[in-house]
Amino acid sequence: MDHSTALLTDRYELTMLQGALTAGTAHRRAIFEVFARQLPNGRRYGVVAGTGRLLEALESFRFGGPELEFLTSQGIVDEPSAAWLESYRFSGNIWGYAEGDCYFPGSPILVVEGSFAEAVILETLSLSILNHDCAIASAASRMVRAAADRPIIEMGSRRTHEMAGVAAARAAYIAGFRSTSNLEAGRTYGVPTAGTSAHAFTLLHDSERHAFQAQLNALGPGTTLLVDTYDVPRAVAVAVELAGPELGAVRIDSGDLKEMAREVREQLDGLGAPKTRIIVTGDLDEYSIAALAASPVNGYGVGTSLVTGSGAPTASLVYKLVARAQTDDGPLRPVAKHSVGKPSKGGRKWAVRHRDDNGRAIAEVVSTSEPTSGPYDRPLLTPLVVNGEIVAREPLSEARDHHEQALAELPPSAFQLSRGEVAIPTKFVNGS
Amino acid sequence: MDHSTALLTDRYELTMLQGALTAGTAHRRAIFEVFARQLPNGRRYGVVAGTGRLLEALESFRFGGPELEFLTSQGIVDEPSAAWLESYRFSGNIWGYAEGDCYFPGSPILVVEGSFAEAVILETLSLSILNHDCAIASAASRMVRAAADRPIIEMGSRRTHEMAGVAAARAAYIAGFRSTSNLEAGRTYGVPTAGTSAHAFTLLHDSERHAFQAQLNALGPGTTLLVDTYDVPRAVAVAVELAGPELGAVRIDSGDLKEMAREVREQLDGLGAPKTRIIVTGDLDEYSIAALAASPVNGYGVGTSLVTGSGAPTASLVYKLVARAQTDDGPLRPVAKHSVGKPSKGGRKWAVRHRDDNGRAIAEVVSTSEPTSGPYDRPLLTPLVVNGEIVAREPLSEARDHHEQALAELPPSAFQLSRGEVAIPTKFVNGS
C-alpha cells in the first residue's frame, strides 16, 4: 500500500491520544493484546491470517501533510497532538502467532508493546486486517479439509468489497486453496490464478458449439468448458466431440451437483474421455463440499461462502489494553475492565501449544509469566516488530506450511463440521 | 483510487476476451445487466449504493505497463489481447438506479452497453462494489428506521476489511446514519466523524476519576464519557460531579442496555443533568435498536452488524449478458441461459416505479421496451456514462436525499423487520 494507512483509524483513538497527552499519561508503557473471546458459530478452531498484510500497513502508517490537514481542519486533534502524530513511528515491539497457525478462545494472537500513545492508535488497523483475514482463513480451512485432496479455486471477489476480495484470496491460499480467480491477488501476492469462461461467453456466440470452438481455439483442449448454459448432456457431447479426449475439464455451475457429476462422469467415460475432469461451482460451502465427497468430482470453485466467512464474516477479535505502567518507565501492571459479559484477563501474556509425546495438541496454555515449556510444547508468539523494526517477513508459502503443520497437531474432533466445542481447551496460568 | 483498478478482475473475463477476439466475436454489441434474483433474508427492500464509487473505479480501470507485464508474463493473455487491453477505454453507455434508491428482485440496477469485449471485463469490478455497498446500505436503512429520530454512529471499521470499512461508512451515511468513527471516510467522502474514548483510556489512568478528568480537560464537558468500565452508577456519579450538568453524554457498551438506560436516565436526572444524553453501543442491530425504542436512549453506535450486512454481507447481485448482436453492428437480440434454478430474463430492460395518485409505490415495472409511463410513475434508470464519458457525479448528500424520498414512497409493510414478502412486486412486461 503506497498510500498512508494512518486514517484507517477510529476517531476515538486520536481523542484518547489527545486526552492522554494533555494528562501527561500518553507515554506510559502499555501492552495491548488481540484475542477472540470465543470462536464464531461453534467452530472448533480459528486460523491466523493477515499478519503479513498488517506489517505492510504498519509501514505506511504515517501522518503526512494531507492527513494532518484533515485532522486539524476538522478540529479532530489539537496542535500538540498533530505535532506528535507528525513524527509518529511505532517504536515498540510486536509479537504474534505465525500466519497460518491455529488459534482458540483467549489465544493472544498479537501482543503490542509500546507507549500507550503509540499502541492505542493501532487498534483499528490491526483489528480490521486480522478480523477480516482470520475470518476468511478460518472458513477456508474447513472447506479445504472437506475437499480432502481435491483442489479448490477461490472465486468470491464478485461477492465482497473489491479490496477485501484480494485479501480473501490471500487468506484462502494460506488455508490451502489451490488458486484464485482474482488477478490482483496474483499480482500482489503471487497466488496462482485460474478461470476460463462464464455463461456470457456461450450466450455471445451463435451456438454453444461456436462458443466451445472459440474457447478451444484460444486456450487449447486443456481448457475447462462450462456445460450448463442450456442442456448438460448435449453440451458434454459437443465438448468432447470438439476437444477430443484431451479436454481438460468441464464445469457444472447449477442443478443437483451430486446427480449431475455422476451422470457427466459416466458420459465422459462413455465418450472415451476418462481423464477429463469435472469441476463443480455454485454456492458451495464446506457442508456441500463434504456432501460431494463420494461423487466423481475433481475440483471445486467456491465464492460467496468463502468471502463471507461461511456464516462468520468477522472473527470477533478485540484489541484490549492488558497492562500499563503508572509512570513512563515503571513496571507493567495488569489491567482489565469489569464490564458485564465481556471478560478480559489482564496482564502481558505468553502462549504455548501444550502437546503430548506424539506431538498431538492437548491445550492452549496462556500464562502471564514466561512459561516453562514441556518437552513437546510449541511456543506460539514470535517477534514481528522489535524496537519499531519489522523483523518477520515470510513468503506466503511459509504461512501455508505453518497451517498444514498446525492442523496436523490437532485432534480429530477439530475437523468435525458440526457446531461444538473447540478442539483444545485454553488454560490460563497465572504467573508470579 | 489512484492505482489502476484493472486487475480487480476475475481471470475468466480476460480469457473470455481472448476467446472472443480469436473468434472475431469480441466487438458484437452487448448489454449486461446487474440485478438480484431475490433479496437476502426475507428483506422487504434493498438500497442501491456504490454507484459513485464504481464510476470512480471505472476511471482508473486502465491496463498500464505493470498490469500488462503481469498478464503476459503469466501467460494469462496473448499478445493481441494485451494490445487490445493496453488501449482499453470503456466507450459505451451505462445507466443505473440513483444511489440511495430502493430496489427489488429483478430491478435492473445497472445496465452496461458496449461491445462484448469492453463490457464483459467490468463484471468483477461492478459486482464487488455494488454487492458490498448495497448489502451495507440495505442493512443500514433498516437500522435507521428502527432508530426513528435518534442518530446512529457507524463504528464497524474494526470488524471488516480495512478498505471495506471506509466504503461501509459511506454506504451507511447514504442510508441515513448520522456519522462514522472512520477517519478515512471523513477525509475521502466527507462523512461526519465521531468518537471519544474506549475502555483502554480509563484503564490507562490510575482511576476512572483521573481518566474522566483527563478527557474533560482535553475535550471539554460536551464530550461523551464511557461509564461501564467498572461500575456504572459510580461512574455516572463521578462523571456528573466532574463535568457538571453540561456533560454531553455517557456511553454504555455492555450489560442489559434497556435496564441500564432506564437507571442511568433516572440517575442523571436526579443529579441535575437532564440534558446529558445516553448513547448505547455493543453488538446492536436493527432488532435490538427496535427493542430500545421505548427506552430513554438518545443515540446508538452500531459496528459489527452494520459492516456484515446484518446477516446478509453480500447483496447477491449478478452481472448477466441479456442481449447481444450477431454481427458487430446488428440489432440486439435477447439472450438468457437455461440453468436450473437460476432464471434470467433476456433483453435490454427499462424500469419505472409504478405509483398511485398519492405517490405510493405499487409495483416495480421492468420492461423490455421503453415503457409508456403512467402519470405518477417514476423512471428509475438514469444515464451514468454516455459514450464512455461519466455524466453523473453527485454529492453524497444527494444520495442521502434520494434514499429518504425513495423510502417515503414505500407502503408501511416495507418497514416490518420480520422476514417476509418484498414491499412491492416486480412486474415484467414484454415489449414488442
Side-chain angles (χ1 to χ4, degrees):
Chain A
M1 216 179 286
D2 302 347
H3 267 98
S4 168
T5 55
L7 295 187
L8 298 174
T9 295
D10 281 333
R11 179 169 169 160
Y12 77 174
E13 290 155 42
L14 300 192
T15 46
M16 286 191 273
L17 166 74
Q18 183 169 318
L21 284 171
T22 308
T25 50
H27 307 300
R28 294 181 172 189
R29 296 301 288 173
I31 306 248
F32 285 84
E33 185 187 304
V34 173
F35 63 97
R37 293 195 180 93
Q38 61 264 318
L39 301 182
N41 264 0
R43 295 272 177 83
R44 313 295 179 127
Y45 63 93
V47 179
V48 176
T51 322
R53 294 212 305 118
L54 174 57
L55 294 175
E56 265 179 51
L58 183 63
E59 284 198 296
S60 311
F61 198 87
R62 299 279 184 272
F63 292 84
E67 289 75 36
L68 294 167
E69 160 63 18
F70 169 72
L71 294 173
T72 52
S73 70
Q74 296 279 311
I76 292 167
V77 297
D78 60 14
E79 283 302 328
S81 302
W84 187 89
L85 290 172
E86 187 169 13
S87 62
Y88 177 75
R89 303 284 181 277
F90 180 74
S91 72
N93 303 304
I94 303 180
W95 297 263
Y97 277 37
E99 242 188 314
D101 209 338
C102 295
Y103 71 90
F104 304 93
S107 296
I109 70 170
L110 201 77
V111 174
V112 179
E113 180 188 34
S115 72
F116 175 81
E118 63 181 351
V120 73
I121 63 177
L122 297 179
E123 175 181 4
T124 300
L125 189 72
S126 304
L127 287 182
S128 297
I129 292 175
L130 294 174
N131 264 324
H132 177 267
D133 291 14
C134 291
I136 305 301
S138 299
S141 177
R142 288 158 54 89
M143 295 171 189
V144 171
R145 292 291 302 201
D149 292 332
R150 298 172 179 170
I152 314 184
I153 306 173
E154 187 284 311
M155 38 189 273
S157 304
R158 284 160 287 161
R159 311 287 174 231
T160 188
H161 183 276
E162 67 275 19
M163 296 309 297
V166 183
R170 180 184 181 278
Y173 188 63
I174 289 173
F177 272 49
R178 183 72 60 90
S179 56
T180 179
S181 63
N182 187 294
L183 292 170
E184 191 62 64
R187 169 165 72 165
T188 306
Y189 300 117
V191 180
T193 61
T196 52
S197 64
H199 297 104
F201 189 77
T202 301
L203 295 172
L204 167 69
H205 290 88
D206 302 343
S207 70
E208 197 170 48
R209 176 179 293 270
H210 279 113
F212 285 179
Q213 192 62 63
Q215 187 175 328
L216 291 165
N217 290 346
L219 303 173
T223 192
T224 300
L225 293 172
L226 178 60
V227 292
D228 71 339
T229 304
Y230 304 109
D231 177 73
V232 174
R234 205 175 56 193
V236 170
V238 172
V240 177
E241 178 196 331
L242 296 178
E246 299 307 308
L247 176 62
V250 295
R251 175 160 80 97
I252 312 170
D253 183 51
S254 56
D256 177 345
L257 295 176
K258 207 166 187 169
E259 185 57 22
M260 295 287 256
R262 196 186 55 72
E263 289 175 13
V264 169
R265 181 74 271 156
E266 249 175 43
Q267 188 183 1
L268 285 169
D269 292 348
L271 292 168
K275 288 185 183 158
T276 298
R277 292 173 308 126
I278 298 175
I279 310 297
V280 296
T281 58
D283 284 331
L284 293 175
D285 60 14
E286 61 268 48
Y287 304 101
S288 46
I289 289 172
L292 287 165
S295 295
V297 164
N298 303 95
Y300 305 94
V302 178
T304 306
S305 70
L306 185 274
V307 297
T308 59
S310 195
T314 184
S316 309
L317 297 166
V318 294
Y319 184 92
K320 294 294 170 192
L321 181 69
V322 292
R324 57 98 179 94
Q326 280 186 289
T327 58
D328 285 6
D329 295 308
L332 286 163
R333 291 178 194 284
V335 292
K337 64 174 173 171
H338 301 166
S339 307
V340 181
K342 293 185 178 178
S344 294
K345 288 183 198 295
R348 162 74 202 274
K349 311 289 195 317
W350 283 261
V352 298
R353 192 145 301 152
H354 181 46
R355 302 187 297 186
D356 67 16
D357 54 3
N358 293 315
R360 177 66 41 101
I362 298 168
E364 189 86 336
V365 179
V366 179
S367 57
T368 49
S369 61
E370 285 205 61
T372 43
S373 290
Y376 310 106
D377 291 356
R378 183 162 67 82
L380 296 167
L381 284 165
T382 56
L384 302 175
V385 178
V386 175
N387 296 328
E389 190 111 0
I390 296 171
V391 297
R393 290 183 200 277
E394 56 175 28
L396 219 49
S397 56
E398 281 194 32
R400 246 170 109 85
D401 291 346
H402 286 312
H403 185 57
E404 272 199 34
Q405 291 155 16
L407 284 193
E409 285 172 1
L410 296 185
S413 66
F415 307 110
Q416 292 177 238
L417 289 180
S418 57
R419 292 179 177 219
E421 296 299 310
V422 291
I424 56 171
T426 303
K427 293 193 175 158
F428 289 96
V429 179
N430 281 323
S432 51
Chain B
M1 216 180 289
D2 302 348
H3 268 96
S4 169
T5 55
L7 295 189
L8 299 173
T9 295
D10 283 332
R11 179 169 169 160
Y12 77 174
E13 289 154 42
L14 301 193
T15 45
M16 286 192 273
L17 166 73
Q18 182 169 318
L21 284 172
T22 309
T25 50
H27 307 300
R28 294 181 172 189
R29 296 302 288 173
I31 306 248
F32 284 84
E33 186 185 302
V34 173
F35 64 96
R37 293 196 182 92
Q38 61 265 319
L39 302 182
N41 265 359
R43 295 274 177 82
R44 313 295 179 127
Y45 64 93
V47 179
V48 176
T51 323
R53 293 210 308 118
L54 175 57
L55 294 175
E56 264 179 53
L58 183 62
E59 284 198 297
S60 310
F61 198 87
R62 300 279 184 272
F63 293 84
E67 288 75 36
L68 294 168
E69 160 63 17
F70 169 73
L71 295 173
T72 52
S73 71
Q74 296 279 311
I76 293 167
V77 296
D78 60 14
E79 283 302 328
S81 302
W84 187 88
L85 290 171
E86 187 169 14
S87 63
Y88 177 76
R89 302 285 182 276
F90 180 74
S91 72
N93 304 305
I94 302 180
W95 297 263
Y97 277 38
E99 237 185 320
D101 209 337
C102 295
Y103 70 89
F104 304 92
S107 295
I109 71 172
L110 201 76
V111 175
V112 179
E113 179 187 34
S115 72
F116 175 80
E118 64 180 350
V120 74
I121 63 177
L122 297 179
E123 176 181 4
T124 300
L125 188 73
S126 304
L127 286 181
S128 296
I129 293 175
L130 294 174
N131 264 323
H132 177 266
D133 292 14
C134 291
I136 305 302
S138 298
S141 176
R142 287 158 56 89
M143 296 172 189
V144 171
R145 291 294 300 202
D149 291 332
R150 297 171 180 172
I152 313 184
I153 307 173
E154 187 283 312
M155 38 189 274
S157 304
R158 283 160 289 159
R159 310 287 175 232
T160 188
H161 182 278
E162 68 275 18
M163 297 308 298
V166 183
R170 180 185 182 277
Y173 188 62
I174 289 173
F177 272 49
R178 183 71 60 89
S179 56
T180 179
S181 62
N182 188 294
L183 292 171
E184 191 62 65
R187 172 166 69 165
T188 308
Y189 301 117
V191 180
T193 62
T196 53
S197 64
H199 297 104
F201 189 77
T202 300
L203 295 172
L204 167 70
H205 290 90
D206 302 341
S207 70
E208 196 169 50
R209 175 179 293 269
H210 279 113
F212 285 180
Q213 192 60 62
Q215 186 175 329
L216 292 164
N217 290 346
L219 303 173
T223 192
T224 300
L225 293 172
L226 178 59
V227 293
D228 71 340
T229 304
Y230 305 110
D231 177 74
V232 173
R234 207 176 55 194
V236 170
V238 172
V240 176
E241 180 196 330
L242 296 177
E246 300 307 307
L247 176 60
V250 296
R251 175 161 80 96
I252 312 169
D253 183 52
S254 56
D256 177 344
L257 295 176
K258 207 167 187 167
E259 186 56 21
M260 296 287 256
R262 194 186 57 71
E263 288 175 14
V264 169
R265 181 73 271 157
E266 250 175 42
Q267 189 184 359
L268 285 170
D269 292 349
L271 292 168
K275 288 183 184 159
T276 299
R277 293 172 309 125
I278 298 175
I279 310 297
V280 296
T281 57
D283 284 330
L284 294 174
D285 61 14
E286 61 268 49
Y287 304 101
S288 47
I289 290 172
L292 288 164
S295 295
V297 164
N298 304 96
Y300 306 93
V302 178
T304 306
S305 69
L306 185 273
V307 297
T308 58
S310 195
T314 184
S316 307
L317 297 166
V318 294
Y319 184 92
K320 294 293 169 193
L321 180 70
V322 292
R324 56 99 180 94
Q326 281 186 288
T327 58
D328 285 6
D329 295 309
L332 286 163
R333 291 179 194 284
V335 292
K337 65 174 173 169
H338 300 167
S339 309
V340 181
K342 293 185 177 177
S344 294
K345 288 182 198 297
R348 161 75 202 272
K349 311 288 194 317
W350 284 260
V352 298
R353 192 146 302 151
H354 180 47
R355 302 187 297 187
D356 68 16
D357 55 2
N358 293 314
R360 178 63 43 100
I362 298 168
E364 189 85 338
V365 179
V366 178
S367 57
T368 49
S369 60
E370 285 206 59
T372 42
S373 290
Y376 308 108
D377 291 356
R378 183 162 68 82
L380 296 166
L381 284 164
T382 57
L384 302 174
V385 178
V386 175
N387 297 327
E389 190 109 3
I390 296 171
V391 297
R393 291 184 199 276
E394 57 174 28
L396 219 49
S397 58
E398 281 193 34
R400 244 169 110 84
D401 291 346
H402 285 314
H403 185 56
E404 272 199 33
Q405 290 156 16
L407 284 193
E409 284 172 2
L410 296 185
S413 66
F415 307 111
Q416 291 176 237
L417 289 180
S418 56
R419 291 179 178 220
E421 297 297 311
V422 293
I424 56 172
T426 303
K427 294 193 176 158
F428 290 96
V429 179
N430 282 322
S432 51

